[in-house]
């Protein structure tokens, strides 16, 4: 049932051509859901501290992950069409889909957990991705997608997911503020 929930939440999974990679992304989300008692993936908030600060109580993680995935894929396809790049669209899509899987452990509803307080974003996600048998390139995307770590993107795929995440987060914040620096 949990795997069906993940597939329903993220129709972008179908863009991942490699069946093993697709199954690993589903396994990562299903594992994080099971370990953290999440039954309703669609109800998981995007980023509670920011949501409270900006009065964006309705922002949801699934919507954000889908936005990031679509943005990253659009960037990747544009660059692949315009340049001769060795770029893996499967890695971009799969990486975007798992980039925030750690938020299932970082928050219990709108409240931070010890994972958020003591580890922060996105270390639990790296652990989940590795346990799901996904390639190290995806763990790198999870780790480097945020400035909350000191790890910078080392691959074009990781850079595209990071930029897509920044744009998608800015889009959410723009619902409350005009100044993107906030």
């Amino acid at each position: 049932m949990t795997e069906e929930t993940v597939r329903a939440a993220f129709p972008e999974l179908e863009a991942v051509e490699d069946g093993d990679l697709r199954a690993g992304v589903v396994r990562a989300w299903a594992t994080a859901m099971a370990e953290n008692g999440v039954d309703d993936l669609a109800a998981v908030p995007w980023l509670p501290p920011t949501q409270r600060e900006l009065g964006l109580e309705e922002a949801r993680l699934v919507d954000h992950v889908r936005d990031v995935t679509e943005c990253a894929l659009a960037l990747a396809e544009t660059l692949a069409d315009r340049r001769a790049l060795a770029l893996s669209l499967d890695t971009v899509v799969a990486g975007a889909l798992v980039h925030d899987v750690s938020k299932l452990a970082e928050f219990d509803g709108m409240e931070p957990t010890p994972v958020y307080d003591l580890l922060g974003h996105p270390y639990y996600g790296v652990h989940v991705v590795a346990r799901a048998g996904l390639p190290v390139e995806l763990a790198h995307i999870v780790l480097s997608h945020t400035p909350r770590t000191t790890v910078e993107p080392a691959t074009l795929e990781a850079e595209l997911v990071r930029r897509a995440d920044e744009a998608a987060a800015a889009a959410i914040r723009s619902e409350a503020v005009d100044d993107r620096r906030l």
Side-chain angles (χ1 to χ4, degrees):
M1 183 65 173
T2 302
E3 290 187 2
E4 292 172 17
T5 301
V6 173
R7 286 188 184 87
F10 302 118
E12 295 80 8
L13 279 161
E14 294 308 312
V16 178
E17 292 182 8
D18 182 310
D20 291 337
L21 191 58
R22 187 179 330 108
V25 170
V26 171
R27 208 168 34 253
W29 278 100
T31 297
M33 288 176 68
E35 288 180 353
N36 295 287
V38 174
D39 296 321
D40 186 1
L41 195 53
V44 176
W46 163 60
L47 184 56
T50 300
Q51 288 177 249
R52 265 193 294 278
E53 178 184 335
L54 299 176
L56 297 170
E57 300 296 322
E58 299 305 313
R60 296 290 173 251
L61 180 60
V62 167
D63 294 330
H64 170 70
V65 169
R66 293 188 68 204
D67 288 348
V68 171
T69 303
E70 291 294 333
C71 288
L73 183 57
L75 286 168
E77 287 175 338
T78 298
L79 291 174
D81 286 347
R82 298 187 43 82
R83 302 179 175 274
L85 296 173
L87 177 67
S88 168
L89 294 180
D90 270 6
T91 300
V92 169
V93 173
L97 285 169
V98 296
H99 85 281
D100 269 350
V101 70
S102 64
K103 287 186 181 173
L104 298 185
E106 293 174 31
F107 301 97
D108 182 4
M110 292 293 284
E111 297 306 314
T113 68
V115 170
Y116 181 77
D117 289 338
L118 298 175
L119 294 180
H121 186 57
Y123 297 99
Y124 174 80
V126 172
H127 169 72
V128 170
V129 164
R131 283 192 27 226
L134 290 166
V136 68
E137 290 82 5
L138 294 190
H140 173 71
I141 288 172
V142 170
L143 191 58
S144 69
H145 87 272
T146 175
R148 291 194 64 190
T149 73
T150 59
V151 178
E152 293 294 321
T155 66
L156 182 54
E157 292 87 349
E159 185 71 33
L160 295 175
V161 172
R162 183 175 189 157
R163 299 301 176 181
D165 182 50
E166 291 168 349
I172 294 171
R173 286 190 303 277
S174 75
E175 295 174 23
V177 296
D178 293 329
D179 188 337
R180 302 298 181 261
R181 294 172 293 179
L182 299 176

